[in-house]
Amino acid sequence: MRSSSNKPSMKKTSSFLLNKPPNNYNPMEHPKPNPPRPPPPPVQKIEYPASPQIILGEETPRHTSHPQHPLSQVEVSDLFTCSGCKEYGSGFRFTCQQCEFQLHEFCALAPPLLKEHPFHRQHQLSLHSKPVKGGILKSKCDVCWKPTKGYTFRCNACSYQMHPCCAMLSDQINITVHPHPLKLLPANVTNSPNGDSASGFVCGECKRKRSGRVYRCTVCEYHLHAVCAKNMVNGLEASGIKGPEKPSMLGTAARLASQVFSEFIGGIIEGLGEGVGEMFIQTITRGRRPAVNNNGD
C-alpha cells in the first residue's frame, strides 16, 4: 500500500520554455544592449485653481474688479496691457466687449491666497489690487525686479512680493527654446542688495545682463532671466512679440542733461572759435605797420 504524500502533484507543461545558449556561447561577443534611460522627472508647474475672482453662474462671466460689464475669453495675438497687473500680454485673455478692460488669464483666475509657493515657501502670499506706495523709489517685484503697478501677490509677514505672471513660474522650468531643464539660482547669487546685477550672467535670450532672478541650465552654461521667462507665460513669445522696454525716467533725464551739457559746451567752443577767427582776419587785413628807423635811412 502506497503511502499518501502531502506534496501537490505537478503537471508537465510546454509553456515558458527557456532557450539554452550553445556550449561555445561567449557573452563578451554578444553584449546586452544598454537599457533605455529613464525619462526626466516632471518639472513642477504652478497652476492657479478656480478663483472666486470670476463670478460664475452666468452665460458670460464677470470679474469682481469690473462687475459692470461681462467678459469674454478670447485669443488674439496683438499686444495689450492688462488692466489688473498693468503689464503686457498677448494671446489668451478675458476682455470686455463694451470698453477696453482686459485681463491676463492668470490675473482673472488669480486666487486670493498662495500657500507654499516655491519662491517663498515660508509665508503665505495675498493678492492685492494696488501696489505698495514706495515714495520716490517704486515698489519692485522680487522675481523680475520690474515695478509693481497693479495686481501683486504680497507677503503680510515680510516685504516679499511678485507679479501674478512671476507667480506662474516655478523654481524649475522647461522651455521650448532650450532642451534642458532650468533651475532658479538663489537670490543672493544673482542680485546685489541694491538690485543691480552682480553675477555677470548673460541671458541666452536677450543676450545681455540685467537685474532680477536668473535661471541656470542643469546641464550646460545656459542662463535665462526671469523677466525673459515671463514672456513665455504672458503670451508674448508665442505671438512672436519682443517685450517692449519703456525707458526709465532717470535714463531719460540723464540723456537730456547730457544733451544740454553737450550743446552748452559746443556753444562755448563755437563762440571761442568765432572770436579767434575774427581776430585772425583783422590781423591779416590790417597788416603790420612798418618799423620806424630813427637813424633817418
Side-chain angles (χ1 to χ4, degrees):
M1 183 175 179
R2 290 185 179 178
S3 60
S4 61
S5 175
N6 295 328
K7 296 181 179 180
S9 60
M10 303 294 292
K11 294 182 179 180
K12 293 183 179 180
T13 177
S14 59
S15 303
F16 305 107
L17 294 178
L18 297 177
N19 295 325
K20 294 183 179 180
N23 296 330
N24 60 349
Y25 176 77
N26 186 359
M28 299 302 294
E29 296 178 357
H30 304 277
K32 295 182 179 180
N34 295 327
R37 294 183 178 180
V43 177
Q44 183 181 5
K45 183 180 179 182
I46 304 300
E47 294 183 353
Y48 290 152
S51 170
Q53 293 288 324
I54 293 290
I55 304 175
L56 301 177
E58 303 179 5
E59 293 182 358
T60 52
R62 297 172 184 262
H63 196 267
T64 53
S65 62
H66 192 70
Q68 61 269 32
H69 299 144
L71 303 179
S72 301
Q73 190 174 19
V74 298
E75 182 184 10
V76 187
S77 60
D78 65 339
L79 184 70
F80 75 97
T81 300
C82 177
S83 301
C85 66
K86 314 300 181 185
E87 290 203 306
Y88 291 116
S90 182
F92 287 102
R93 72 195 75 172
F94 283 91
T95 182
C96 179
Q97 302 295 336
Q98 302 181 39
C99 63
E100 297 181 355
F101 186 87
Q102 299 184 90
L103 289 174
H104 292 121
E105 272 193 319
F106 47 80
C107 286
L109 301 176
L113 194 67
L114 290 179
K115 298 180 180 180
E116 296 185 359
H117 193 279
F119 294 167
H120 197 69
R121 297 183 186 275
Q122 59 270 36
H123 300 137
Q124 297 180 355
L125 301 173
S126 302
L127 181 65
H128 294 263
S129 59
K130 296 181 180 180
V132 178
K133 294 182 180 180
I136 299 177
L137 298 177
K138 292 184 178 180
S139 177
K140 291 185 178 181
C141 171
D142 284 285
V143 179
C144 67
W145 279 91
K146 289 292 184 179
T148 55
K149 302 177 182 179
Y151 287 2
T152 308
F153 283 107
R154 191 182 311 148
C155 179
N156 295 326
C158 63
S159 59
Y160 189 89
Q161 60 181 353
M162 59 180 167
H163 296 115
C165 185
C166 294
M168 292 293 292
L169 299 172
S170 185
D171 53 355
Q172 187 170 334
I173 60 174
N174 281 334
I175 59 176
T176 57
V177 296
H178 190 72
H180 308 137
L182 306 179
K183 191 173 183 179
L184 189 71
L185 292 177
N188 57 358
V189 175
T190 56
N191 289 301
S192 62
N194 59 358
D196 297 329
S197 180
S199 59
F201 296 126
V202 177
C203 177
E205 290 304 302
C206 67
K207 310 300 181 185
R208 60 192 180 101
K209 304 175 184 179
R210 63 194 306 174
S211 57
R213 302 293 296 274
V214 177
Y215 286 95
R216 185 173 186 173
C217 179
T218 57
V219 179
C220 62
E221 292 298 320
Y222 179 88
H223 293 86
L224 178 71
H225 293 135
V227 68
C228 295
K230 288 176 61 175
N231 292 339
M232 304 173 190
V233 176
N234 57 23
L236 266 65
E237 193 267 342
S239 300
I241 301 175
K242 296 294 182 181
E245 295 290 340
K246 291 184 178 180
S248 63
M249 296 181 63
L250 292 177
T252 303
R255 284 191 294 271
L256 290 175
S258 176
Q259 182 179 358
V260 170
F261 180 76
S262 299
E263 293 178 354
F264 176 74
I265 296 298
I268 293 176
I269 294 175
E270 184 178 357
L272 291 175
E274 291 178 354
V276 173
E278 290 179 358
M279 292 177 60
F280 181 74
I281 293 174
Q282 291 177 1
T283 302
I284 295 176
T285 304
R286 294 174 182 176
R288 292 185 179 180
R289 294 182 180 180
V292 177
N293 189 348
N294 296 327
N295 295 330
D297 295 339

